[in-house]
């Protein structure tokens, strides 16, 4: 059995690995975990649909796009807990863009 995946699928898989870091860049440490999960899911669905759109072939298939979105989400969750979080990159990503600063009292 030979596996022959187009470049679009490989690029989508690579993007799936980086999505948790992207979620970390646009959220803070105090953002609810559920909000982060929904954001990761939305980006994964977008990734799956764009990969199916970019893949060469005889048309666009919604079922394939949904499977790609599911694979993208699973890959994102697994890489977050298995690769990015233990290395501390998730925390560094969240610390790099500070979206809220404490205001001094009385201002």
């Amino acid at each position: 059995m030979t596996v022959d995946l187009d470049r679009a699928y490989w690029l989508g898989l690579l993007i799936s690995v980086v999505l948790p870091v992207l979620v970390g860049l646009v959220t803070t440490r105090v953002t609810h975990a559920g909000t982060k999960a929904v954001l990761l899911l939305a980006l994964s669905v977008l990734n799956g649909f764009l990969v199916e759109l970019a893949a060469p072939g005889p048309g666009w298939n919604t079922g394939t796009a949904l499977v790609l979105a599911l694979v993208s989400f699973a890959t994102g969750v697994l890489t977050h807990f298995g690769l990015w979080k233990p290395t501390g990159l998730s925390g560094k990503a969240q610390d790099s863009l500070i979206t809220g600063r404490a205001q001094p009292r009385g201002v």
Side-chain angles (χ1 to χ4, degrees), residues 18-29 36 39 80 89-97:
V18 179
L19 281 180
V21 177
L22 180 65
V23 170
L25 283 173
V26 298
T27 59
T28 62
R29 287 187 184 267
K36 293 177 188 180
L39 182 58
H80 170 69
L89 189 66
S90 291
K92 290 176 186 174
Q94 287 181 333
D95 292 340
S96 67
L97 294 178

Side-chain angles (χ1 to χ4, degrees), residues 3 9 11 32 54 60 64 79-80 90 95 104:
V3 177
Y9 295 113
L11 182 61
H32 190 270
W60 193 81
T64 304
T79 56
H80 170 69
S90 291
D95 292 340

Side-chain angles (χ1 to χ4, degrees), residues 1-102:
M1 180 171 135
T2 52
V3 177
D4 184 27
L5 294 175
D6 296 314
R7 276 189 266 173
Y9 295 113
W10 289 111
L11 182 61
L13 187 61
L14 180 66
I15 290 171
S16 299
V17 171
V18 179
L19 281 180
V21 177
L22 180 65
V23 170
L25 283 173
V26 298
T27 59
T28 62
R29 287 187 184 267
V30 295
T31 304
H32 190 270
T35 304
K36 293 177 188 180
V38 169
L39 182 58
L40 179 62
L41 179 62
L43 291 173
S44 298
V45 168
L46 180 67
N47 182 36
F49 278 72
L50 289 176
V51 167
E52 177 60 20
L53 185 66
W60 193 81
N61 188 342
T62 305
T64 304
L66 290 174
V67 168
L68 290 171
L70 181 63
V71 168
S72 178
F73 181 70
T75 302
V77 169
L78 291 173
T79 56
H80 170 69
F81 287 109
L83 179 66
W84 301 128
K85 195 171 185 176
T87 61
L89 189 66
S90 291
K92 290 176 186 174
Q94 287 181 333
D95 292 340
S96 67
L97 294 178
I98 300 173
T99 58
R101 293 207 170 131

Side-chain angles (χ1 to χ4, degrees), residues 103-107:
Q103 295 290 332
R105 286 203 146 138
V107 176

